[in-house]
Amino acid sequence: PPPPPPMINFSLEQPSEAMVSEEEGERAVPPENGNASSVGSAEDDCTEDILGTLIEDLDPHIREEVRKFAYEPDLVTQRTTFGNVISRLMDHPAWTRAKLASVAKCLHISLAPYFGLSVLDDENQVPLHHGIFQLLSILKKEKRPRVWKFLSELYGIEPRVGYHLLFYLHNRAQLDLYREFVSYTTIGELKGCITEDLRVCQEEDGPQAFYKIIQDIYQKFPSVTTGNANILHLIVSCIDAQQLHTIICSVMSKKMKIFNVRTISSLLRTTLDWETFEQYCVWQLLSAESVPSETIVDVLKDIKDVQHYELFSSMLVFLKSIKPSEKLVKKIIFLQSHEQQLVIPITVWWIDKYSDGIIKIIEGFVNSAVTNMDDKRLNILFQFIEQICNAVDVSHQIYDHKGLWTQLKDSYNFVSTPVKKECPIIQRMINETRFSRKNSEETVDSDDDDTQTPKHMRKRRRDTILDSDDD
């Protein structure tokens, strides 16, 4: 395989004028001869002085090997000297964390250009830092801590170490080792570490590398990826049509599980601050994963701002595609907010498509409110039915369902006066003496036939009549 790009012995923390185009403000391509003398900037001399000072402060056991590696211009020889450095790291009996940190600072100056290589090029060329990673495959578990300690120190200086290690282990089916690495980092926990490494991967290496590994990350670490809003935002923030289609296919094929039912409401609240396209992508993924609709509606309880149009439009389309259950309709009716943005439009659609089922569900709610003498719910139901009647003519559906018509008529006297004033359509409907043709022969006069009325309704009716006689 072709060798990596020529070695730049000294990393420039601040790019020199020779490396930056003043007109375009873009980083120029470094010269092919990558040693420091060819750049010819003052920063190189300064960095060389810093490197010299760092090397002098190293443990004598490894000082000369690091010096040879840092100042070696020949790439082949440099690989050999780097191997010697690693050997010294492993054979010294007492490396403290501070000594490992000093070595990491020195090596980072020379290794930085290799971490700038794309992880997608690893199949064509072997970056120098893979020499450290290879130890993880060779050493037994009890001998790996020193490597982890050194990598964690290097990780603190060079954030790209994390995702380079992820890809190295992924390509060798050894992702389990990543958990060991995390325990030695300053972050110390898998969720934070993997989220940060994926973020750096996306920003430094680009979306192509990120999307190549994301499915396997979800499969390998479901406990920290499922329901993770930060990783989900990374997915949708730079996604294109092809990548979205690929992820949707993975979700529908059960290769990825993105959402956690227990945390879906809080996750959707988090997405309200995202870009419009990002939110629409989230809802595409929600639909692909078939998240229970009842849990999604719960997010509306805490949302007061009616300007979240992405949420309402996406939820309408989502709810439109499913057959409503009694539990879902109940959540919608008793939401007591967002009537015009969501409740009325979706109910009208359901009545049009599932007329008999929806009317029976509403009839059951009215009956339950009457049976349990829950006047608050009864008021809500009357207001809801009035709004539906005002939005679309459903009088024939109500007439066709004698039970609902009777329930409305029997319970009307127990509705609060302010709500009665808000329900002129219902008042007009219950004053009608007709039913549809279907039920015309079964018309029931509830005032004359108390035997068909529940006992608690007859008692409430008699109390109302007595009160009116007293008046």
Side-chain angles (χ1 to χ4, degrees), residues 166-178:
L166 259 181
F167 267 86
Y168 178 87
L169 297 175
H170 167 263
N171 292 338
R172 289 154 183 80
Q174 295 178 313
L175 275 174
D176 285 332
L177 291 177
Y178 183 78

Side-chain angles (χ1 to χ4, degrees), residues 110-125:
S110 296
L111 290 176
Y114 289 91
F115 284 109
L117 295 171
S118 173
V119 289
L120 299 179
D121 296 333
D122 286 357
E123 297 177 358
N124 301 320
Q125 51 192 5

Side-chain angles (χ1 to χ4, degrees), residues 190-389:
L190 183 60
K191 182 177 181 179
C193 215
I194 204 166
T195 302
E196 177 64 14
D197 289 342
L198 289 173
R199 182 192 66 80
V200 175
C201 173
Q202 187 200 80
E203 293 179 356
E204 297 290 336
D205 215 307
Q208 189 174 357
F210 174 81
Y211 289 113
K212 181 177 181 180
I213 199 174
I214 192 64
Q215 176 181 308
D216 292 324
I217 295 298
Y218 267 88
Q219 287 181 334
K220 193 64 180 179
F221 307 110
S223 62
V224 297
T225 54
T226 303
N228 189 319
N230 292 324
I231 296 181
L232 177 60
H233 192 218
L234 290 174
I235 291 175
V236 300
S237 63
C238 62
I239 202 166
D240 62 23
Q242 180 182 357
Q243 292 155 350
L244 179 60
H245 175 260
T246 300
I247 292 182
I248 286 176
C249 289
S250 297
V251 170
M252 296 184 69
S253 302
K254 307 298 182 183
K255 295 178 180 178
M256 289 178 67
K257 181 174 173 56
I258 296 178
F259 301 98
N260 186 331
V261 175
R262 295 190 300 273
T263 60
I264 188 67
S265 293
S266 60
L267 187 148
L268 287 177
R269 281 191 288 271
T270 301
T271 66
L272 295 178
D273 296 325
W274 297 0
E275 297 293 331
T276 296
F277 179 73
E278 295 171 354
Q279 292 190 52
Y280 285 148
C281 289
V282 170
W283 281 93
Q284 290 277 311
L285 297 173
L286 269 172
S287 299
E289 197 164 302
S290 299
V291 177
S293 53
E294 294 85 355
T295 61
I296 293 178
V297 173
D298 287 339
V299 72
L300 296 171
K301 293 179 180 178
D302 303 321
I303 296 177
K304 306 301 180 185
D305 189 356
V306 297
Q307 302 299 317
H308 294 302
Y309 298 114
E310 299 93 344
L311 172 67
F312 292 120
S313 59
S314 298
M315 188 171 290
L316 276 172
V317 174
F318 178 85
L319 294 176
K320 175 179 177 288
S321 64
I322 61 176
K323 185 176 181 179
S325 64
E326 181 178 340
K327 183 177 180 181
L328 176 59
V329 175
K330 184 176 181 181
K331 283 181 177 289
I332 292 291
I333 291 178
F334 295 105
L335 194 60
Q336 289 189 274
S337 60
H338 311 301
E339 287 84 357
Q340 301 307 317
Q341 292 84 10
L342 184 93
V343 177
I344 303 304
I346 192 59
T347 307
V348 169
W349 167 265
W350 283 339
I351 289 176
D352 182 66
K353 191 169 184 180
Y354 309 103
S355 176
D356 291 343
I358 295 296
I359 294 297
K360 286 181 180 178
I361 289 174
I362 295 174
E363 178 186 337
F365 294 155
V366 175
N367 182 57
S368 176
V370 170
T371 303
N372 297 318
M373 299 184 183
D374 190 341
D375 291 342
K376 180 180 178 181
R377 288 211 161 192
L378 195 60
N379 288 335
I380 293 173
L381 285 165
F382 265 75
Q383 290 173 314
F384 168 76
I385 296 171
E386 177 73 18
Q387 289 176 323
I388 294 299
C389 293

Side-chain angles (χ1 to χ4, degrees), residues 79-125:
R79 287 183 179 276
T80 302
T81 56
F82 185 64
N84 295 337
V85 172
I86 294 176
S87 297
R88 290 299 178 111
L89 277 174
M90 297 307 301
D91 64 18
H92 197 285
W95 280 105
T96 64
R97 200 81 187 227
K99 290 180 179 180
L100 289 173
S102 298
V103 176
K105 289 178 182 177
C106 293
L107 295 184
H108 171 253
I109 294 177
S110 296
L111 290 176
Y114 289 91
F115 284 109
L117 295 171
S118 173
V119 289
L120 299 179
D121 296 333
D122 286 357
E123 297 177 358
N124 301 320
Q125 51 192 5

